[in-house]
Amino acid sequence: MATVRMIDIAVNFTDGMFKGIYNGKQCHVSDIATVLSRAWTAGVDRIIVTGGSLEESKEALTIAETDARLFCTVGVHPTRCKEFEESGDPDKHFQALLSLAKEGIEKGKVVAIGECGLDYDRLQFCPAEIQKKYFEKQFELAHATKLPMFLHMRAAAPDFCEIVERNRSRFSAGVAHSFTGSAEDRDKLLSISNMYIGVNGCSLKTTENLDVVRSIPIERMMIETDSPYCGIKNTSAGIKFVKSTWPSKKKEKYDQECIVKDRNEPCLVRQVLEVVAGCKGISEIGQLSRTLYHNTCRVFFPQDLDSAADSLLAGHDPQ
């Protein structure tokens, strides 16, 4: 396995599966420490833990404080935007998000506002009008904190791009993560300055997906797992490019030496890197990983650009 350094920009460590809970049933012990150990060994050296609600963002920050290599986001996912109004005081809810983000920035942990955006595939959880209202509102968080945005766009490209364009002056940069859109959606995103596209197993399922990913410039791409979801399955079109594998066991037969079958985890971001390389015909995976690493630092860890990322680009490991 060639040595590469990777940053997984999307891990849902607040999800019950990492506590061993599946559909409300405890199947094994909480195992974030074991999962992290596998990730670090695989070449992951930073992880961004996703926050998708006020409470989840608090938990993400708590988790991020347990390891120097963990960071997090603060924001409200489109399917949960009803929480602003259900709180009884949307402005107070917004202020709570803002103060949490500021606390996390002071701790050196919060690196983005999000996960926010639009999801028209799951309108049963939150109507489009409420999604749009509070997506727009969260640009105020980015503007007040000067943080980049961690974005979600599902079956909503026209409205999403219109809102982002309208608020473009209020945030420095962003990533549309877990991208599964069309070539047209891709090109709309790429036309927005400092907008990157996050690729994971869900981005690599079909031959059409691979065609779309093939034309994302690597200078505008980041990689992620979105674990415990979005793993690369045996039925995925991208599976033919996967070189790295880990032994797995079903959750009922949990073994900490193995990954849990059908539960994605951060070490598997290595497979995303391999599929991106394979579908783009890139044989030098080290150079690809350096470019993706540099992109991620440019947006989320700009303080590192002068030292770590530049020496990586030069082909030297930073001390």
Side-chain angles (χ1 to χ4, degrees):
M1 195 187 281
T3 306
V4 295
R5 296 177 72 212
M6 299 165 289
I7 299 173
D8 187 347
I9 64 161
V11 177
N12 298 285
F13 271 145
T14 61
D15 190 277
M17 286 190 235
F18 289 117
K19 301 178 184 88
I21 301 164
Y22 300 75
N23 300 320
K25 185 181 170 207
Q26 188 83 43
C27 292
H28 59 78
V29 297
S30 177
D31 67 341
I32 287 180
T34 304
V35 166
L36 284 176
S37 175
R38 261 194 297 274
W40 311 141
T41 302
V44 177
D45 68 10
R46 291 179 228 203
I47 288 169
I48 300 175
V49 183
T50 311
S53 67
L54 176 58
E55 286 310 308
E56 200 173 273
S57 298
K58 288 176 182 172
E59 189 183 347
L61 178 55
T62 301
I63 292 168
E65 289 182 80
T66 64
D67 191 294
R69 297 162 285 188
L70 296 179
F71 303 86
C72 68
T73 71
V74 168
V76 181
H77 190 280
T79 61
R80 309 218 199 129
C81 277
K82 286 204 289 197
E83 76 172 43
F84 281 96
E85 294 178 2
E86 288 170 352
S87 72
D89 188 339
D91 287 332
K92 188 177 171 189
H93 200 73
F94 175 85
Q95 289 302 327
L97 286 162
L98 180 57
S99 57
L100 180 65
K102 286 180 171 173
E103 176 197 338
I105 291 167
E106 280 176 24
K107 291 174 171 173
K109 289 294 177 184
V110 172
V111 295
I113 296 303
E115 176 175 0
C116 58
L118 298 176
D119 189 323
Y120 291 177
D121 263 352
R122 290 180 278 180
L123 292 170
Q124 69 270 31
F125 297 114
C126 185
E129 289 313 307
I130 291 178
Q131 288 192 31
K132 286 194 280 191
K133 179 179 179 180
Y134 291 105
F135 179 29
E136 192 114 31
K137 184 76 177 166
Q138 290 181 79
F139 286 93
E140 292 179 33
L141 288 175
H143 186 63
T145 57
K146 298 189 168 46
L147 286 175
M149 299 198 75
F150 183 80
L151 298 163
H152 176 102
M153 181 183 86
R154 186 77 73 241
D159 285 356
F160 176 95
C161 291
E162 184 199 336
I163 291 171
V164 171
E165 290 279 21
R166 191 162 63 237
N167 291 279
R168 185 61 199 84
S169 63
R170 300 167 88 188
F171 68 102
S172 57
V175 59
H177 104 103
S178 195
F179 179 74
T180 57
S182 65
E184 186 186 359
D185 295 344
R186 172 200 67 210
D187 294 342
K188 270 194 183 132
L189 289 172
L190 292 172
S191 74
I192 301 169
S193 63
N194 278 353
M195 181 64 71
Y196 293 76
I197 296 178
V199 172
N200 63 33
C202 288
S203 318
L204 307 165
K205 279 183 181 174
T206 67
T207 51
E208 291 80 12
N209 289 151
L210 293 182
D211 288 342
V212 172
V213 167
R214 193 173 290 118
S215 295
I216 301 172
I218 61 171
E219 296 76 21
R220 300 287 293 279
M221 187 189 290
M222 298 183 196
I223 52 172
E224 55 173 90
T225 56
D226 205 22
S227 48
Y229 318 108
C230 292
I232 297 173
K233 298 186 165 49
N234 287 333
T235 53
S236 297
I239 192 73
K240 62 185 179 222
F241 298 118
V242 168
K243 295 183 168 67
S244 305
T245 56
W246 282 258
S248 68
K249 286 194 175 173
K250 289 181 179 174
K251 58 187 182 291
E252 295 81 6
K253 298 188 172 174
Y254 180 79
D255 176 346
Q256 68 172 19
E257 298 301 315
C258 300
I259 64 173
V260 176
K261 188 172 165 44
D262 297 327
R263 180 187 73 170
N264 198 11
E265 62 171 78
C267 68
L268 297 169
V269 76
R270 169 77 193 213
Q271 295 184 339
V272 177
L273 179 70
E274 289 168 352
V275 177
V276 168
C279 87
K280 280 181 161 286
I282 296 170
S283 55
E284 183 35 68
I285 202 163
Q287 185 59 48
L288 172 63
S289 73
R290 281 193 285 277
T291 301
L292 300 174
Y293 195 100
H294 190 260
N295 298 344
T296 309
C297 287
R298 181 175 286 150
V299 175
F300 298 117
F301 307 103
Q303 69 280 8
D304 295 345
L305 272 184
D306 295 341
S307 53
D310 285 344
S311 58
L312 272 172
L313 277 181
H316 307 297
D317 273 340
Q319 295 306 307

